[in-house]
Amino acid sequence: MEFPEIVKQMEAAFPEAAVSVDETACCLLIVPERWPAVAEHLKTDPGTAFDVLMCLTGYDRGPGELLGVAYNLYSMEHAHKLEIRIETPRDDSVIPSVAHLWRTADWHEREAYDMFGITFDGHPDLRRMLLPDDWEGYPLRKDYQTPDFYHGIPIPKDKRGWE
Amino acid sequence: MDFSLVNRYDQDNVIVGKLDQLINWARSNSPWFFQFGLACCAIEMIAAAQPRYDLERFGIMPRATPRMADIMIVSGTVTLKMASRLKRLYEQMANPKYVVSMGSCANSGGPYWQYGYHVVKGVDLVVPVDVYIPGCPPRPEALLEGLLHLKKKIREETPLRKAA
């Protein structure tokens, strides 16, 4: 199935879930509340059959803007792809987890939590993965400030004379 | 070690020298290293230990545990998460111990010097370093040269006398 057909089928099944459709990027922006139902449908419905979650990426649109997560889905049976994006406000960013549907999402969601601070509701083990457990802050946000010390080890800010 | 007297007294097998020299000769000719390979420099460290560049002909043998090692070759990027483990392993080594900082990440943060929020900008912020080997990654011959410099440093120590 091509992208427009997938969109048409999705809109028929979940009329109020889609927020916007981007033709050039072939992605669908949906609301977080309907995400578990939509994900379940995309995986189990024989017409779409998206059984592989290729990648889950967090992104930040800018300081003061929304935080988002992009899901890249692929179907082995039909060999078609889809991208789903979900955007949330910065302060209270909660997205339902899909780790129970696609196992790939388990560690990718942990990375998105570690780097952006996006909480995934229903995730079996949401804790920091790449950074130390007692790190403060979410580094890949656009308004992140590097701390000066970490347990006594300095993180130099003044780089004059380093090059 | 002064071997000139052997030529004169070769029937009696006499060698005259300082006890310091004997100890330093023994220590510098078998510096076993603790293979602390963290990232890409670890590959070059392993390559140096392989038959082509052969560290073992100098007596430099890899050990997997800090308890049996003399040198710790820090090869690779040290992240802040790893720094506490590195300190702990350094403390587990027995004296006399030496640290060789291999590659630019261990020397001063490497390619992550500018924007790396998670990188220790130089392992000398955590443990005292004896030899720095530049390179990204340094060739096995460069690692070898650094270790030979370390051997020279060990030969010039004064283990029996407190250093002035």
Side-chain angles (χ1 to χ4, degrees):
Chain A
M1 283 162 64
E2 292 298 325
F3 181 65
E5 292 165 27
I6 302 178
V7 171
K8 230 193 316 254
Q9 197 205 15
M10 282 274 308
E11 279 174 347
F14 298 94
E16 74 290 358
V19 171
S20 76
V21 175
D22 188 343
E23 293 284 318
T24 40
C26 289
C27 79
L28 205 55
L29 183 63
I30 65 173
V31 292
E33 293 82 26
R34 302 290 288 145
W35 174 225
V38 171
E40 182 89 42
H41 173 257
L42 283 171
K43 186 170 182 204
T44 50
D45 182 58
T48 51
F50 284 111
D51 48 353
V52 177
L53 171 65
M54 290 196 287
C55 193
L56 194 161
T57 320
Y59 60 87
D60 182 359
R61 297 199 74 128
E65 304 259 347
L66 303 168
L67 290 177
V69 173
Y71 298 78
N72 290 79
L73 300 165
Y74 179 72
S75 165
M76 303 263 262
E77 205 185 307
H78 303 294
H80 57 231
K81 300 187 208 167
L82 179 64
E83 182 180 334
I84 304 261
R85 293 188 190 176
I86 303 181
E87 289 185 358
T88 57
R90 286 179 104 74
D91 294 327
D92 184 23
S93 174
V94 178
I95 297 180
S97 164
V98 286
H100 57 281
L101 285 171
W102 295 290
R103 244 352 214 325
T104 318
D106 194 343
W107 274 22
H108 284 68
E109 283 175 355
R110 267 179 78 182
E111 190 206 355
Y113 166 67
D114 194 3
M115 295 285 123
F116 292 94
I118 302 172
T119 318
F120 289 90
D121 215 5
H123 190 273
D125 186 17
L126 195 66
R127 58 191 161 100
R128 284 200 184 263
M129 189 162 75
L130 301 167
L131 289 166
D133 288 322
D134 55 355
W135 191 270
E136 279 155 19
Y138 300 106
L140 286 181
R141 290 197 180 188
K142 299 290 181 197
D143 51 3
Y144 178 70
Q145 300 290 330
T146 316
D148 282 327
F149 283 91
Y150 174 72
H151 285 306
I153 303 172
I155 306 177
K157 295 274 176 46
D158 183 9
K159 308 280 167 64
R160 274 172 302 170
W162 274 57
E163 286 211 57
Chain B
M1 301 268 308
D2 182 11
F3 287 99
S4 58
L5 284 176
V6 179
N7 297 326
R8 287 182 61 193
Y9 295 101
D10 53 6
Q11 299 118 323
D12 295 331
N13 296 326
V14 171
I15 297 177
V16 177
K18 296 194 268 196
L19 192 52
D20 271 348
Q21 284 177 320
L22 176 66
I23 293 176
N24 288 340
W25 170 80
R27 280 186 186 161
S28 66
N29 279 351
S30 71
W32 290 359
F33 70 93
F34 173 45
Q35 46 190 49
F36 202 61
L38 295 170
C40 356
C41 277
I43 308 293
E44 293 295 330
M45 182 174 76
I46 292 166
Q50 297 302 318
R52 180 179 277 271
Y53 298 104
D54 203 8
L55 280 178
E56 262 192 77
R57 62 194 154 121
F58 295 99
I60 304 174
M61 193 162 102
R63 307 301 296 167
T65 156
R67 306 266 184 205
M68 295 187 201
D70 301 305
I71 321 176
M72 178 161 85
I73 303 186
V74 182
S75 47
T77 320
V78 186
T79 50
L80 291 168
K81 196 171 182 180
M82 191 65 188
S84 56
R85 283 98 173 147
L86 187 140
K87 186 119 200 295
R88 180 182 278 257
L89 288 169
Y90 177 72
E91 283 161 5
Q92 283 180 353
M93 284 167 74
N95 273 326
K97 56 191 172 190
Y98 308 91
V99 174
V100 169
S101 156
M102 176 182 178
S104 19
C105 283
N107 289 346
S108 63
Y112 312 105
W113 67 277
Q114 202 172 21
Y115 299 117
Y117 51 86
H118 59 301
V119 166
V120 175
K121 308 284 163 66
V123 78
D124 48 7
L125 293 172
V126 184
V127 291
V129 173
D130 293 289
V131 176
Y132 296 85
I133 303 175
C136 187
R139 277 194 63 90
E141 294 107 329
L143 173 62
L144 207 42
E145 187 188 349
L147 289 170
L148 291 176
H149 274 295
L150 181 65
K151 278 174 63 137
K152 191 155 132 223
K153 181 176 176 174
I154 300 176
R155 270 205 297 275
E156 284 158 8
E157 283 190 347
T158 54
L160 292 180
R161 185 169 22 109
K162 300 271 184 285

